[in-house]
Amino acid sequence: MLKIVVPLTGSPSRGKIHRSPLPLVLTEIDSQPLLETIVSKLRPAGPHHFIFVTTRDDARRWAIDDVVRQIAPGCSILIAPSAPANPVFATLLAIDEIESEDELLVADSSRIFEGEIDPFLSHARRLSFEGCLPSFRCTHPKWNYLREEQGEVLQVVERRPVSDQAAASAFWLRRARDYFDAAEQHVVRHLDRSEGEETNTVVNELVLAGRRIGNWRIPSRHSAPSMESAASNRSHKLKSTHNFIDS
């Protein structure tokens, strides 16, 4: 079964729009938390199981664990005693929930997945590679970018448009053990890293370990904005949270 790991902590998800401590994934747009859009974009038609990582503080203060249960019934929710330094650290908390041979999809919660999940998974599974990282055309330096050759990812470069293919917010591994081995190595190399990192940077460790990672180019008509852009572009639909925050 496909396991989908979504860290809700360790990412720059607060105060970007309405300057409040409310997690950005709970920003209300069209009468629903933005997290619901994130999950719906990641939910495939086939068998799957969501695993979310949040913090004790967010569960207590914002009931984010209860929100997640309504959005993804039957999911697993892991509650960290304190906020992990970044999303890669947070994903490692899910290691005991996943079998080493499970398929794995790792997704950041700071962005909405830019493509359509089922066509992406179909493409990834057809490849002979160990993983697949989708990308979309862009040149803005706020994203991570791919160096790739003939459909194979060679490197993920942070915040530099070394190509016109920006790394999407989720990627797939044929075997979960490959991700966790690479993520552990990544953490050792980047102990000083904090907010701002995306999970797709683990692809570099996978490549160094000899794993072949394919690329799927998202059709431009399907590309989606970051959560910050989506919320900003539709800010007139946001409901004020200040009374709730001040209470």
Side-chain angles (χ1 to χ4, degrees):
M1 180 186 291
L2 175 69
K3 302 295 177 63
I4 305 172
V5 176
V6 185
L8 302 178
T9 182
S11 61
S13 58
R14 300 174 189 276
K16 298 296 185 182
I17 299 171
H18 45 71
R19 300 186 182 279
S20 84
L22 183 74
L24 187 57
V25 293
L26 295 184
T27 299
E28 191 175 358
I29 297 181
D30 291 343
S31 301
Q32 66 182 24
L34 198 48
L35 180 57
E36 192 158 349
T37 301
I38 295 169
V39 172
S40 68
K41 289 286 288 182
L42 294 171
R43 184 182 285 118
H48 63 277
H49 182 72
F50 277 101
I51 301 169
F52 298 91
V53 183
T54 188
T55 64
R56 183 179 298 159
D57 182 63
D58 281 351
R60 182 178 62 248
R61 187 173 187 188
W62 306 111
I64 196 167
D65 52 333
D66 289 328
V67 174
V68 166
R69 289 188 184 97
Q70 299 305 312
I71 292 173
C75 68
S76 296
I77 304 170
L78 306 179
I79 298 181
S82 59
N86 60 52
V88 177
F89 281 66
T91 62
L92 289 173
L93 298 176
I95 192 169
D96 291 334
E97 301 288 320
I98 299 171
E99 298 294 332
S100 63
E101 295 298 314
D102 281 342
E103 278 186 286
L104 183 65
L105 185 74
V106 181
D108 287 310
S109 65
S110 60
R111 293 161 58 189
I112 300 167
F113 182 59
E114 294 84 356
E116 298 296 328
I117 195 66
D118 286 315
F120 164 59
L121 291 174
S122 295
H123 173 84
R125 289 164 175 158
R126 287 195 302 268
L127 298 175
S128 59
F129 297 162
E130 286 85 6
C132 189
L133 173 61
S135 63
F136 57 96
R137 191 186 184 285
C138 191
T139 55
H140 197 290
K142 66 182 178 179
W143 308 121
N144 295 347
Y145 284 82
L146 310 187
R147 294 188 194 274
E148 59 93 18
E149 185 175 294
Q150 297 182 340
E152 183 172 354
V153 178
L154 305 179
Q155 185 183 17
V156 174
V157 180
E158 294 185 76
R159 308 294 191 268
R160 286 182 57 209
V162 295
S163 71
D164 65 356
Q165 291 299 305
S169 60
F171 62 102
W172 172 87
L173 278 303
R174 196 175 301 278
R175 290 179 295 272
R177 69 167 183 257
D178 288 339
Y179 174 79
F180 288 112
D181 288 347
E184 288 173 354
Q185 287 298 314
H186 180 89
V187 166
V188 169
R189 293 179 193 271
H190 302 284
L191 288 174
D192 59 337
R193 293 297 298 271
S194 57
E195 289 190 351
E197 189 175 33
E198 296 182 359
T199 56
N200 57 44
T201 56
V202 175
V203 167
N204 290 327
E205 292 294 337
L206 288 160
V207 172
L208 287 173
R211 302 295 183 262
R212 300 185 68 190
I213 307 299
N215 172 232
W216 182 63
R217 296 194 176 193
I218 297 169
S220 58
R221 66 182 184 278
H222 287 163
S223 63
S226 67
M227 293 200 315
E228 291 89 343
S229 297
S232 295
N233 291 340
R234 300 157 74 184
S235 60
H236 64 286
K237 296 182 179 179
L238 287 174
K239 294 185 178 179
S240 174
T241 59
H242 293 295
N243 291 337
F244 177 48
I245 293 164
D246 293 338
S247 62

Coordinates of all heavy atoms in Angstrom, one line a residue, residues 180-211:
F180 N 14.2 6.6 4.0 CA 14.6 6.8 5.4 C 16.1 6.7 5.5 O 16.7 7.4 6.3 CB 13.9 5.8 6.3 CG 12.4 6.2 6.5 CD1 11.4 5.4 5.9 CD2 12.1 7.4 7.1 CE1 10.1 5.8 6.1 CE2 10.7 7.7 7.3 CZ 9.7 6.9 6.8
D181 N 16.8 5.8 4.7 CA 18.2 5.8 4.8 C 18.8 7.1 4.3 O 19.8 7.6 4.9 CB 18.7 4.6 3.8 CG 18.5 3.2 4.4 OD1 18.1 3.1 5.6 OD2 18.6 2.3 3.6
A182 N 18.3 7.6 3.2 CA 18.8 8.9 2.7 C 18.5 10.1 3.6 O 19.3 11.0 3.8 CB 18.2 9.1 1.3
A183 N 17.3 10.1 4.2 CA 16.9 11.1 5.1 C 17.8 11.2 6.3 O 18.2 12.3 6.8 CB 15.4 11.0 5.5
E184 N 18.1 10.0 6.9 CA 19.0 10.0 8.0 C 20.4 10.5 7.6 O 21.0 11.3 8.4 CB 19.2 8.5 8.5 CG 17.9 8.0 9.2 CD 18.0 6.6 9.6 OE1 19.0 5.9 9.2 OE2 17.0 6.1 10.3
Q185 N 20.9 10.2 6.5 CA 22.2 10.8 6.0 C 22.1 12.3 5.8 O 23.0 13.0 6.2 CB 22.6 10.1 4.7 CG 23.1 8.7 4.9 CD 24.4 8.6 5.7 OE1 25.3 9.4 5.6 NE2 24.4 7.7 6.7
H186 N 21.0 12.7 5.3 CA 20.7 14.1 5.1 C 20.8 14.9 6.4 O 21.4 16.0 6.5 CB 19.4 14.3 4.4 CG 19.0 15.8 4.1 ND1 19.4 16.4 3.0 CD2 18.4 16.7 4.9 CE1 19.0 17.7 3.0 NE2 18.3 17.8 4.2
V187 N 20.1 14.3 7.4 CA 20.0 15.0 8.7 C 21.4 15.1 9.3 O 21.8 16.1 9.9 CB 19.1 14.2 9.7 CG1 19.3 14.7 11.1 CG2 17.6 14.5 9.2
V188 N 22.2 14.1 9.2 CA 23.6 14.1 9.7 C 24.4 15.2 9.0 O 25.2 15.9 9.7 CB 24.3 12.7 9.5 CG1 25.8 12.8 9.8 CG2 23.6 11.7 10.4
R189 N 24.2 15.3 7.7 CA 25.0 16.4 7.0 C 24.5 17.8 7.2 O 25.2 18.7 7.0 CB 24.9 16.1 5.5 CG 25.6 14.8 5.0 CD 25.3 14.7 3.5 NE 25.7 13.4 3.0 CZ 26.9 13.1 2.5 NH1 27.9 13.9 2.5 NH2 27.1 11.9 2.0
H190 N 23.3 17.9 7.7 CA 22.7 19.2 7.8 C 22.1 19.5 9.2 O 20.9 20.0 9.3 CB 21.6 19.4 6.7 CG 22.1 19.2 5.3 ND1 22.8 20.2 4.7 CD2 22.0 18.2 4.5 CE1 23.1 19.7 3.4 NE2 22.6 18.5 3.3
L191 N 22.8 19.1 10.2 CA 22.3 19.3 11.6 C 22.0 20.8 11.9 O 21.2 21.1 12.8 CB 23.3 18.7 12.6 CG 23.4 17.2 12.6 CD1 24.6 16.8 13.5 CD2 22.1 16.6 13.1
D192 N 22.7 21.7 11.2 CA 22.5 23.1 11.5 C 21.3 23.7 10.7 O 21.0 24.9 10.8 CB 23.8 23.9 11.2 CG 24.2 23.7 9.7 OD1 23.8 22.7 9.1 OD2 24.9 24.6 9.2
R193 N 20.7 22.9 9.9 CA 19.6 23.5 9.0 C 18.3 23.7 9.9 O 18.0 22.8 10.8 CB 19.2 22.6 7.9 CG 20.3 22.5 6.8 CD 20.6 23.8 6.2 NE 19.5 24.3 5.5 CZ 19.2 24.0 4.2 NH1 20.0 23.2 3.5 NH2 18.2 24.5 3.6
S194 N 17.6 24.7 9.6 CA 16.3 24.9 10.3 C 15.2 25.2 9.3 O 15.1 24.5 8.3 CB 16.4 26.1 11.3 OG 16.8 27.3 10.6
E195 N 14.4 26.2 9.5 CA 13.2 26.4 8.7 C 13.6 26.8 7.3 O 14.7 27.4 7.0 CB 12.3 27.5 9.3 CG 11.6 27.1 10.5 CD 10.5 28.1 10.9 OE1 10.5 29.2 10.3 OE2 9.8 27.8 11.8
G196 N 12.7 26.5 6.3 CA 13.0 26.8 4.9 C 13.3 25.7 4.0 O 13.2 25.8 2.8
E197 N 13.7 24.6 4.6 CA 14.1 23.4 3.8 C 12.9 22.7 3.3 O 11.9 22.6 4.0 CB 15.1 22.5 4.6 CG 15.7 21.4 3.8 CD 16.7 20.7 4.6 OE1 16.5 20.5 5.8 OE2 17.7 20.2 4.1
E198 N 13.0 22.1 2.2 CA 12.0 21.2 1.6 C 12.4 19.8 1.6 O 13.6 19.5 1.5 CB 11.6 21.7 0.2 CG 11.0 23.1 0.2 CD 10.5 23.5 -1.2 OE1 10.7 22.7 -2.1 OE2 10.0 24.6 -1.3
T199 N 11.5 18.8 1.7 CA 11.8 17.4 1.8 C 12.5 16.9 0.5 O 13.2 16.0 0.5 CB 10.6 16.6 2.1 OG1 9.6 16.8 1.1 CG2 10.1 16.9 3.5
N200 N 12.2 17.6 -0.7 CA 12.8 17.1 -1.9 C 14.3 17.3 -2.0 O 14.9 16.7 -2.9 CB 12.1 17.8 -3.1 CG 12.2 19.3 -3.1 OD1 13.3 19.9 -2.8 ND2 11.2 20.0 -3.5
T201 N 14.9 18.0 -1.0 CA 16.4 18.0 -1.0 C 17.0 16.7 -0.6 O 18.2 16.4 -0.9 CB 16.9 19.1 0.1 OG1 16.3 18.8 1.3 CG2 16.5 20.5 -0.3
V202 N 16.2 15.7 0.0 CA 16.7 14.4 0.3 C 17.0 13.6 -1.0 O 17.8 12.7 -1.0 CB 15.6 13.6 1.1 CG1 16.0 12.2 1.3 CG2 15.4 14.3 2.4
V203 N 16.5 14.1 -2.2 CA 16.8 13.4 -3.4 C 18.3 13.4 -3.7 O 18.8 12.5 -4.3 CB 16.0 14.1 -4.6 CG1 16.5 13.7 -5.9 CG2 14.5 13.8 -4.5
N204 N 19.0 14.5 -3.3 CA 20.4 14.5 -3.5 C 21.1 13.3 -2.8 O 22.1 12.7 -3.3 CB 21.0 15.8 -3.0 CG 20.6 17.0 -3.9 OD1 20.4 16.8 -5.1 ND2 20.4 18.1 -3.2
E205 N 20.7 13.0 -1.6 CA 21.2 11.8 -0.8 C 20.9 10.5 -1.5 O 21.7 9.6 -1.6 CB 20.8 11.8 0.6 CG 21.3 12.9 1.5 CD 22.8 12.9 1.7 OE1 23.4 11.8 1.6 OE2 23.3 13.9 2.0
L206 N 19.7 10.5 -2.1 CA 19.3 9.3 -2.8 C 20.2 9.1 -4.1 O 20.7 7.9 -4.3 CB 17.9 9.4 -3.3 CG 16.8 9.2 -2.2 CD1 15.5 9.8 -2.6 CD2 16.6 7.7 -1.8
V207 N 20.5 10.1 -4.8 CA 21.4 10.1 -6.0 C 22.8 9.7 -5.5 O 23.4 8.8 -6.2 CB 21.4 11.4 -6.7 CG1 22.4 11.4 -7.8 CG2 20.0 11.7 -7.3
L208 N 23.3 10.2 -4.5 CA 24.6 9.9 -4.0 C 24.7 8.4 -3.6 O 25.8 7.8 -3.7 CB 25.0 10.8 -2.8 CG 25.4 12.2 -3.1 CD1 25.6 13.0 -1.8 CD2 26.6 12.3 -3.9
A209 N 23.6 7.9 -3.1 CA 23.6 6.5 -2.7 C 23.4 5.5 -3.9 O 23.3 4.3 -3.7 CB 22.5 6.2 -1.7
G210 N 23.3 6.1 -5.1 CA 23.2 5.2 -6.3 C 21.8 4.9 -6.7 O 21.5 4.1 -7.6
R211 N 20.8 5.6 -6.1 CA 19.4 5.4 -6.4 C 19.1 6.2 -7.7 O 19.4 7.4 -7.7 CB 18.5 5.7 -5.3 CG 18.7 4.9 -4.0 CD 18.5 3.4 -4.2 NE 18.7 2.7 -3.0 CZ 19.8 2.0 -2.7 NH1 20.8 2.0 -3.6 NH2 19.9 1.4 -1.6

